[in-house]
């Protein structure tokens, strides 16, 4: 079968909820992927930051194979010998007290919403069913009904009501708006340290520090959604470290599995997590031994192979070189670590066509909204690969 055959089949049998580039991949290694015609591409999306460790990392693969040969699923009705070690290693790496493991990012977000509501009723004393959670405009936290209930993106919401109540939306990066929105029923503020899907929107400096203070002073749980920014992507283990703060709840997913298997987690302080009692929340696959073994290896290689430091240095290098590209079509280049966006002017003709051209030149990236191209290669990218990418980007803007 050739590229066109796979695409035709997908169109016939699949739901049409995505609009992918027309490249059919069949193999990956490090920062590179190959299509069914044998052509090689540099992956500059990393599956939305789920493959920070590079494709098919040999040590994560080995951990997965070894564990798959021993034990894959016990459910949480019984214990397994990977979960406790996963908990400890994750807490030590992220300076957390408690972990609740789930599978997808959206499930981690849903879990956090449940936990902070319960905390609001049991600890803060909010009247039954009155809990409010504050979120930001242009947020992206996933696709479930409750999560799209507080999205401001029309295509995420239209046709999916009725929606879940209990959310208030403020502008992103506006600490005064947060202060103004808090009432005695506010239980949490849910925010991304950098808005990834919105187009790598970095808040004004000092915002997260102010947010931390406001939340502490008002007994509001600060939930940072680090599903995209976490685990080395921005050049730190967690993006919160750039601002020297610590969230009460931190959500991670995506790269927690190195791209092998869906694994997500809610990291929490003890006070908030302890509101959950047996039977009140769970997941058949959450915390299974295969997921735990994969995640342990994914975390280990991030640290042992200095991927986080590499994200900082290669990110700064790529950002600087992109900023030097001289064309009337680029409006802004911004980023932190290897989470970088190139925003085009309105008369550039849309980001999609540049992504198509880059694909033909061997660089895979994806537009987010009409005018923004995100560059987020695996954290294992080297100088030569960065220069390969930069050369192709210069070419499409020449
Ligand atoms: C991808 C993402 C999610 C959702 O994760 P899924 O695994 O797709 O459910 C939530 N929050 C942020 C910031 C994300 O980037």
């Amino acid at each position: 079968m050739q590229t066109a055959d796979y695409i035709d089949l997908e169109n016939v049998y699949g739901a049409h909820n995505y609009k992918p580039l027309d490249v059919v991949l069949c193999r990956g290694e490090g920062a590179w992927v190959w299509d069914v015609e044998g052509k090689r591409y540099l992956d500059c999306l990393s599956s939305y930051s789920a493959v920070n460790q590079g494709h098919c990392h040999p040590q994560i693969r080995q951990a997965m194979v070894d564990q798959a040969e021993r034990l894959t699923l016990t459910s949480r009705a019984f214990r397994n010998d990977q979960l406790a070690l996963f908990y400890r290693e994750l807490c030590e790496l992220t300076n957390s007290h408690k972990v609740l493991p789930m599978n997808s990012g959206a499930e981690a977000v849903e879990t956090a919403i449940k936990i902070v509501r319960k905390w609001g009723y049991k600890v803060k004393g909010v009247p039954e069913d009155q809990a409010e959670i504050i979120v930001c405009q242009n947020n992206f936290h996933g696709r479930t009904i409750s999560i799209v209930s507080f999205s401001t993106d029309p295509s995420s919401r239209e046709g999916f009501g009725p929606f879940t109540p209990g959310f208030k939306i403020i502008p992103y990066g506006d600490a005064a708006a947060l202060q103004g929105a808090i009432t005695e029923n506010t239980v949490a503020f849910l925010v991304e340290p950098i808005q990834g899907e919105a187009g790598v929107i970095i808040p004004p400096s000092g915002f997260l520090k102010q947010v931390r203070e406001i939340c502490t002073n008002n007994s509001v749980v600060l939930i940072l959604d680090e599903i995209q920014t976490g685990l080395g992507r921005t050049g730190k283990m967690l993006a919160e470290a750039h601002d020297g703060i610590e969230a009460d709840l931190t959500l991670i997913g995506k790269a927690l599995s190195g791209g092998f298997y869906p694994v997500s987690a809610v990291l929490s302080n003890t006070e908030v997590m302890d509101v959950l009692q047996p039977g009140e929340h769970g997941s058949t696959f959450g915390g299974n031994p295969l997921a735990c073994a994969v995640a342990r290896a994914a975390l280990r290689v991030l640290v042992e192979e200095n991927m986080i430091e590499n994200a900082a240095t290669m990110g700064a290098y790529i950002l600087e070189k992109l900023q030097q590209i001289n064309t009337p079509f680029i409006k802004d280049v911004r980023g932190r670590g290897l989470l970088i966006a190139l925003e085009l002017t309105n008369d550039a003709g849309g980001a999609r066509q540049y992504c198509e051209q880059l694909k033909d030149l061997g660089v895979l990236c994806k537009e987010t909204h009409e005018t923004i191209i995100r560059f987020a290669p695996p954290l294992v990218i080297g100088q030569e690969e960065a220069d390969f990418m930069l050369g192709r980007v210069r070419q499409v803007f020449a």
Side-chain angles (χ1 to χ4, degrees):
M1 275 174 47
Q2 303 262 299
T3 300
D5 306 317
Y6 291 102
I7 294 170
D8 288 346
L9 269 187
E10 272 193 32
N11 285 337
V12 171
Y13 292 108
H16 295 166
N17 57 329
Y18 276 92
K19 191 179 168 224
L21 293 183
D22 286 338
V23 55
V24 180
L25 303 173
C26 62
R27 188 162 77 84
E29 191 184 321
W32 298 93
V33 287
W34 284 261
D35 72 10
V36 291
E37 329 261 320
K39 185 174 171 192
R40 184 176 83 147
Y41 304 84
L42 188 69
D43 181 0
C44 289
L45 183 64
S46 307
S47 307
Y48 301 96
S49 297
V51 286
N52 283 2
Q53 297 87 339
H55 289 275
C56 298
H57 190 290
Q59 287 191 35
I60 310 176
R61 180 176 55 211
Q62 196 58 52
M64 182 163 187
V65 169
D66 289 348
Q67 187 61 43
E69 286 173 350
R70 281 201 302 272
L71 183 68
T72 56
L73 184 61
T74 55
S75 83
R76 297 289 302 280
F78 312 116
R79 300 179 191 265
N80 72 72
D81 70 353
Q82 294 297 307
L83 184 62
L85 300 173
F86 169 61
Y87 282 166
R88 184 177 66 192
E89 289 161 13
L90 186 52
C91 282
E92 285 175 358
L93 278 176
T94 59
N95 197 24
S96 310
H97 300 162
K98 294 273 180 185
V99 182
L100 194 156
M102 295 293 285
N103 312 287
S104 68
E107 285 174 312
V109 175
E110 289 277 350
T111 301
I113 292 170
K114 289 175 71 176
I115 295 173
V116 296
R117 282 180 166 184
K118 182 117 198 267
W119 173 87
Y121 303 129
K122 296 290 165 201
V123 179
K124 186 167 178 176
V126 173
E128 190 65 24
D129 291 345
Q130 299 300 306
E132 294 166 357
I133 295 171
I134 300 172
V135 301
C136 290
Q137 277 168 9
N138 302 317
N139 68 71
F140 183 83
H141 298 289
R143 299 293 196 169
T144 64
I145 287 290
S146 288
I147 294 171
V148 302
S149 294
F150 55 83
S151 171
T152 57
D153 171 20
S155 66
S156 297
R157 283 170 58 90
E158 268 169 34
F160 300 125
F163 296 112
T164 308
F167 301 96
K168 254 192 200 174
I169 301 170
I170 62 166
Y172 186 63
D174 186 343
L178 173 63
Q179 181 68 65
I182 290 174
T183 71
E184 55 198 14
N185 292 339
T186 304
V187 295
F189 177 46
L190 166 62
V191 64
E192 300 156 84
I194 294 173
Q195 289 187 324
E197 294 309 300
V200 189
I201 310 299
I202 302 172
S205 92
F207 170 66
L208 287 177
K209 260 213 151 72
Q210 284 174 283
V211 161
R212 179 61 279 179
E213 256 178 58
I214 293 168
C215 287
T216 303
N217 294 341
N218 294 276
S219 273
V220 167
V221 176
L222 173 57
I223 313 171
L224 285 184
D225 180 344
E226 296 239 23
I227 292 167
Q228 187 159 159
T229 55
L231 305 177
R233 175 52 55 189
T234 68
K236 303 269 190 196
M237 177 60 82
L238 295 174
E240 65 175 19
H242 290 287
D243 295 85
I245 64 153
E246 276 189 42
D248 301 302
L249 258 62
T250 301
L251 314 180
I252 55 174
K254 294 199 166 116
L256 185 52
S257 69
F260 278 82
Y261 186 98
V263 191
S264 67
V266 177
L267 309 174
S268 174
N269 62 32
T270 304
E271 175 188 301
V272 178
M273 190 68 94
D274 272 359
V275 301
L276 282 186
Q277 298 298 313
E280 293 178 347
H281 187 63
S283 158
T284 302
F285 279 83
N288 73 72
L290 186 59
C292 292
V294 166
R296 293 178 65 205
L299 291 169
R300 194 167 58 241
V301 302
L302 260 186
V303 174
E304 279 179 3
E305 297 179 21
N306 299 319
M307 292 181 194
I308 303 176
E309 294 80 354
N310 191 57
T313 38
M314 292 315 302
Y317 174 74
I318 292 172
L319 188 66
E320 187 195 331
K321 297 290 175 192
L322 287 174
Q323 280 165 341
Q324 287 168 0
I325 296 176
N326 189 9
T327 156
F329 293 137
I330 298 180
K331 184 172 154 191
D332 189 29
V333 182
R334 55 179 175 264
R336 191 166 282 164
L338 283 170
L339 187 56
I340 296 171
L342 198 154
E343 182 165 0
L344 306 177
T345 58
N346 286 333
D347 43 6
R352 176 84 183 191
Q353 57 161 319
Y354 295 95
C355 295
E356 306 267 8
Q357 287 176 47
L358 283 167
K359 179 201 73 163
D360 293 337
L361 294 171
V363 172
L364 292 183
C365 54
K366 188 73 167 55
E367 77 276 7
T368 176
H369 301 282
E370 300 296 295
T371 56
I372 301 170
I373 306 173
R374 173 175 31 192
F375 293 103
L379 312 187
V380 298
I381 189 173
Q383 177 85 36
E384 261 175 54
E385 292 157 334
D387 287 332
F388 175 91
M389 169 206 143
L390 289 162
R392 301 304 190 268
V393 175
R394 281 188 208 105
Q395 208 175 324
V396 300
F397 286 106

